[in-house]
Amino acid sequence: MQTPPAIIDIRNLAVTFRGGSRKVRAVNGVDLTVDRGEVLALLGESGSGKSVTLRSLLRLHPKGTLIEGEIKVAGQDVMRLGRRALADLRGGTVSMIFQEPRLALDPVYRVGDQIVETIRRHMPVSRSEARARALRLFEDVRIPSPESRLGNYPHEMSGGMLQRSMIAMALACDPAILLADEPTTALDATVQIQILLLLRELQTRRGLAVVFVTHDIGVAAQVADKVAVMYAGRIVESGHIADVIHNPRHPYTQGLLDARVELAQGSSRLRTIEGAPPDLSALPPGCAFAPRCGRVAETCRTVVPELHSGSTSVACFEPLRG
Amino acid sequence: MLAYAFKRLLHVIPVAFGVSIVCFLLLHIAPGDPLAAILPADATAELQAQMRALYGLDRPLVIQYLLWLLRALHGDLGLSIATGRPVTREILGAMVNSFILAGVATLIGFSLGSLLGFLAGLYRGSWIDRLASSIAMLGVSVPHYWLGIVLVIIFSVELNWLPATGGGTDGSGGRALDWSYLRFLVLPALTMSVIPMGIIARTIRSLVAEVLAQDFVQALAAKGLMPRQILRHVIRNAAPTAISVMGLQLGYLLGGSILIETVFSWPGTGFLLNNAIFTRDLPMLQGTILILALFFVIMNVLVDIVQSAIDPRIQRN
Ligand SMILES: Nc1ncnc2c1ncn2[C@@H]1O[C@H](COP(=O)(O)OP(=O)(O)O)[C@@H](O)[C@H]1O
Ligand SMILES: [Mg+2]
C-alpha cells in the first residue's frame, strides 16, 4: 500500500537574510513533513528560526532574501511558482494567522470588509455572497452578535475577538493548510485556552493540516500531533508529541521541559536554560547548542550532528536515554 | 460626531476674543500716531483733537475696544484710509481672489506632491526615491518670490506666453472660466504650488514608509493580495494624515501670500496687506489681519473635524 504524499514537504531549507551589513543564516538545513489533517508544533526559544521557517512556506520574506532547498505544499513546488500562482496559493490553499492580531489587521478597514476582500480575492462570488460567507465564518469562530461585529474596526474589538476574526479570515477560502505563528502568545491565559480549543475544533472538523509555531511546550502538548524542536535554525529533535514530552532525547528539549515543569510547580524562579542562543551570523563550527549543553563532548564542538531516528529523531552525539 | 464638531467649534470663541484684542491693540502699539497718516503734517492741535474725538481715540481703551468689537461684529471694520471704501468689502473681494489662487495652487501641489511622495515611499532607497525627494526638497527650500521672477522671465519676457502680472479677465479684475482669466492664474498658482508640493511629498513619503513597515502589510500579502490591492490599503492608511496636511497647507495659502501676490500683483489679501503696510492704512491692516487670523483659527478646527470624520482610529468622544 502506498502512503499518500505529505501535504507539506520541506527538504534542506536554508534561509539567508542579506539585508544588513552581515549575512544572517536564520534557517540552516531544515527538513519537515506534515500530512493531511495533521498538526505539527514548531517549538523553540525566540530567535530559533521558527517564524522564518513558517514564512518560507509562502515565500513571505523581504526582497533579496536567499531561500534554498525544496518546498512542496499541497502538490505545488513553492520555489518555482510565479507571482500570480504564489498569490493564489497564499490565503487560498495556505493561510496564516499571526501573533498580534491587532497589528495583523488593517486598522482603517472594517473587519468584515477585510474578510470579504479575502473571499473575493480567491472566489468568484458577489459582494453579498461574500458578506453572507463572512457572517457564517464569524458564527463558526463563535463571535457573539456576529452581524454587528462584522462592522467593527479592529480597535473596537478585544484581543481574543480579534484573533477569532483573524481565524475566520484565514479559513475564509477553505484552505488545506493553516500556518499559525504563536497565535495565542499575546493573549491572556484564559483567552489563550479558548483560542487553542477553537483552533483544535476547527482543525478536526475541517481536516486542516496545521503548522503551529510556539515557544511554549505546554501549548504544543495541547494542540499538536507531532513536534519539531528548533535551535539556531536547525531541527534538533522531532517526533510524536507524547514521545518527545515523555522521553526527550535532546538536552535542549529536556531543558525546555524542565523550565516548564518548574513553572507548573509554582516555583518562584523559573529555571531557564543557562546562556543565550548563538549569534546566527557567527555560528560555532559544531553543534550550535554545545556552548550551553551540560552533556557536551569533544566531537560536539567540531562536528554538526545529523538528525538520527529512534523513538524520536534527534540531532545529538550524546542523547539522553541512549 | 456632530457633538464633537460642535465642541471643537465652541473652542473657537475664546481664541477669537484673544485674536480680536491683539488686532485692536495693534493700532495702538504700532509706532507713530494713527492720525498722522490721515492728517497733514502741519495740522493744528485743535484739528488733531477734533479728529481724535471723531474716531473715538479720546475715550478709555476698553470702551474703544468694545465699540470697535461691536461694529466689527456687524461687519463694519471702518473705512480704508487709502481708498475711502469700506474695509470689509475690500477684504472680501481680495479674499475671493486669494482663495482661487490658493485652491488652484493646492490642487496642483497636492496632485504632484502625492505622486512624488508615493513614488518615493514605495521605491525607498532607489533612484526614483532620490529624484522625487530632491524635487520635494527644492520645493520647500527654493525662495518662491525668486522662483516667481524666474518663471516671469521665462514665460512672460522670453517666450511671451503668459502675462507677468495682474488678474481678472484681461486684467480688468473680473472673473470668468476662460483663458482670458485663467492665463493670469497660471504663473502665480505654479509658483505657489511648489511649497505644498514639497511638504506633501515629504509627508506622504514618510507616511508610506511608516505604513509599509507595519505588520498588516505582510498579512495582506499572506492572504494573497496583489501589490496593486495592497497599495489601496496603503493609500487608505496614509489618506487621513495626508488630507489634513493638505488642509493645513490650504489654510496657510488661503490667507494669501504677500510675496507671491506682490510679485504678480495678484489682487488678493496678501497684496492688500502689502499695500496697507506701505500706505500706513491702519484700519485696512487691522481688518485684514483680524479676518485672516480668525479664518486661520476656523480652518484649523475644520481640518480637525474632517480628519476625525475620515479616520476611524480617532476616538470621537
Ligand atoms: N527580515 C529579516 N531580516 C534579517 N534577519 C531576520 C529577519 N527576520 C528574521 N530574522 C532573524 O532570523 C532569526 C530567526 O527569527 P525568527 O524566525 O523570527 O525567530 P522565532 O523562532 O522567534 O520565530 C532571528 O535572529 C531574526 O533576527
Ligand atoms: Mg517568531
Side-chain angles (χ1 to χ4, degrees):
Chain A
M1 197 186 96
Q2 211 179 349
T3 49
I7 196 164
I8 298 176
D9 193 349
I10 300 179
R11 297 278 152 119
N12 207 11
L13 174 71
V15 181
T16 314
F17 293 106
R18 298 180 291 194
S21 50
R22 299 187 306 173
K23 285 187 179 179
V24 175
R25 206 171 170 83
V27 174
N28 201 348
V30 160
D31 293 332
L32 275 181
T33 56
V34 182
D35 291 332
R36 258 167 222 289
E38 191 175 52
V39 181
L40 169 78
L42 206 50
L43 182 69
E45 282 171 300
S46 140
S48 53
K50 309 179 297 288
S51 300
V52 173
T53 304
L54 199 70
R55 286 179 182 171
S56 300
L57 285 166
L58 291 175
R59 276 174 44 201
L60 274 176
H61 294 301
K63 258 192 231 131
T65 306
L66 181 66
I67 310 178
E68 295 161 292
E70 278 177 50
I71 306 171
K72 297 250 163 55
V73 169
Q76 303 202 58
D77 185 344
V78 174
M79 295 302 290
R80 290 201 172 71
L81 288 181
R83 271 157 59 110
R84 184 84 211 186
L86 185 62
D88 287 343
L89 181 77
R90 296 170 172 172
T93 313
V94 184
S95 36
M96 194 154 177
I97 58 178
F98 300 86
Q99 179 166 348
E100 291 272 6
R102 199 173 294 285
L103 302 179
L105 287 161
D106 185 331
V108 304
Y109 277 71
R110 295 174 197 278
V111 175
D113 291 342
Q114 302 192 43
I115 297 178
V116 167
E117 177 184 44
T118 315
I119 296 170
R120 300 199 56 192
R121 164 66 183 80
H122 294 284
M123 300 174 137
V125 295
S126 71
R127 178 162 288 279
S128 62
E129 282 171 304
R131 188 92 197 159
R133 194 180 170 86
L135 182 63
R136 280 199 304 280
L137 287 158
F138 256 37
E139 285 161 358
D140 283 351
V141 298
R142 288 197 293 279
I143 288 179
S145 38
E147 181 77 63
S148 68
R149 284 297 179 181
L150 281 173
N152 277 176
Y153 287 98
H155 73 263
E156 296 168 325
M157 286 187 170
S158 69
M161 210 178 295
L162 280 174
Q163 196 57 287
R164 283 173 197 268
S165 311
M166 227 25 241
I167 294 170
M169 185 154 85
L171 300 180
C173 304
D174 286 330
I177 299 168
L178 178 67
L179 307 178
D181 194 349
E182 310 224 17
T184 59
T185 306
L187 304 174
D188 295 343
T190 50
V191 182
Q192 180 168 346
I193 292 166
Q194 290 169 8
I195 298 287
L196 286 179
L197 289 174
L198 175 71
L199 274 174
R200 195 58 169 149
E201 176 202 320
L202 292 168
Q203 182 270 329
T204 324
R205 208 163 70 202
R206 293 170 170 246
L208 284 169
V210 176
V211 182
F212 192 105
V213 165
T214 178
H215 65 269
D216 185 337
I217 202 165
V219 169
Q222 280 182 45
V223 295
D225 306 311
K226 286 196 312 192
V227 63
V229 183
M230 271 192 97
Y231 188 78
R234 290 201 181 94
I235 291 184
V236 295
E237 180 159 12
S238 70
H240 286 285
I241 184 78
D243 295 337
V244 172
I245 284 180
H246 295 124
N247 293 304
R249 295 174 68 207
H250 199 285
Y252 177 62
T253 316
Q254 182 68 57
L256 291 177
L257 269 167
D258 290 346
R260 176 75 195 180
V261 169
E262 296 244 336
L263 190 65
Q265 286 170 350
S267 159
S268 56
R269 259 188 59 211
L270 175 64
R271 198 179 86 202
T272 50
I273 307 165
E274 261 169 48
D279 178 356
L280 291 176
S281 57
L283 283 176
C287 172
F289 188 60
R292 300 169 75 184
C293 184
R295 301 169 62 86
V296 61
E298 206 49 50
T299 23
C300 300
R301 299 196 191 275
T302 50
V303 185
V304 178
E306 301 271 324
L307 203 61
H308 288 292
S309 32
S311 62
T312 67
S313 300
V314 66
C316 183
F317 293 117
E318 298 287 330
L320 298 124
R321 290 169 264 269
Chain B
M1 184 59 227
L2 274 177
Y4 171 78
F6 186 68
K7 220 172 76 183
R8 289 293 280 116
L9 282 172
L10 271 186
H11 284 170
V12 169
I13 293 173
V15 179
F17 259 111
V19 167
S20 73
I21 291 172
V22 171
C23 283
F24 172 75
L25 287 178
L26 203 67
L27 198 80
H28 296 266
I29 295 168
D33 190 328
L35 286 178
I38 41 173
L39 288 175
D42 55 354
T44 58
E46 199 178 327
L47 184 59
Q48 280 192 20
Q50 227 172 4
M51 289 303 281
R52 212 172 283 282
L54 186 67
Y55 280 88
L57 293 173
D58 53 348
R59 308 228 212 141
L61 218 51
V62 180
I63 304 291
Q64 283 188 47
Y65 169 70
L66 289 176
L67 287 173
W68 174 78
L69 185 66
L70 199 68
R71 283 201 310 269
L73 285 174
H74 284 91
D76 176 9
L77 289 169
L79 300 179
S80 160
I81 291 170
T83 65
R85 285 199 288 264
V87 166
T88 318
R89 185 146 27 104
E90 297 260 347
I91 295 176
L92 289 182
M95 271 180 109
V96 174
N97 287 330
S98 282
F99 282 15
I100 291 171
L101 179 57
V104 173
T106 308
L107 216 63
I108 299 173
F110 188 72
S111 318
L112 280 178
S114 303
L115 188 69
L116 290 176
F118 269 108
L119 285 175
L122 291 174
Y123 298 99
R124 218 146 75 103
S126 72
W127 65 270
I128 298 177
D129 176 21
R130 279 192 293 280
L131 181 67
S133 297
S134 309
I135 297 174
M137 192 63 205
L138 270 178
V140 287
S141 48
V142 74
H144 35 284
Y145 54 89
W146 176 83
L147 178 67
I149 291 168
V150 169
L151 288 179
V152 165
I153 291 173
I154 297 175
F155 292 101
S156 308
V157 180
E158 293 297 325
L159 298 171
N160 203 15
W161 287 355
L162 295 160
T165 59
T169 44
D170 289 321
S172 73
R175 280 184 283 271
L177 239 180
D178 59 20
W179 183 238
S180 71
Y181 174 71
L182 292 179
R183 65 201 188 100
F184 287 99
L185 195 54
V186 178
L187 290 183
L190 268 183
T191 308
M192 200 180 227
S193 74
V194 300
I195 312 156
M197 187 269 290
I199 290 175
I200 285 162
R202 276 155 38 126
T203 309
I204 289 187
R205 177 185 184 270
S206 64
L207 272 175
V208 167
E210 213 174 274
V211 174
L212 286 179
Q214 287 182 41
D215 289 3
F216 78 81
V217 176
Q218 201 183 42
L220 291 174
K223 67 184 198 179
L225 295 197
M226 302 300 284
R228 190 171 35 83
Q229 295 163 312
I230 295 177
L231 185 64
R232 249 187 47 206
H233 284 262
V234 175
I235 292 174
R236 262 287 281 277
N237 274 268
T241 315
I243 287 175
S244 65
V245 170
M246 182 188 82
L248 281 176
Q249 285 305 307
L250 181 64
Y252 287 123
L253 298 187
L254 283 179
S257 158
I258 292 197
L259 289 172
I260 290 173
E261 290 183 0
T262 305
V263 166
F264 292 98
S265 306
W266 181 261
T269 48
F271 190 53
L272 200 67
L273 211 54
N274 182 54
N275 285 345
I277 290 167
F278 279 105
T279 55
R280 276 189 67 78
D281 191 344
L282 282 173
M284 183 68 105
L285 198 58
Q286 195 180 36
T288 313
I289 292 176
L290 176 71
I291 290 186
L292 290 182
L294 285 182
F295 179 77
F296 197 67
V297 169
I298 291 172
M299 198 63 207
N300 265 308
V301 173
L302 288 183
V303 167
D304 263 9
I305 293 173
V306 170
Q307 190 181 16
S308 80
I310 56 181
D311 189 343
R313 285 166 299 187
I314 293 179
Q315 299 291 320
R316 291 158 199 148
N317 40 41

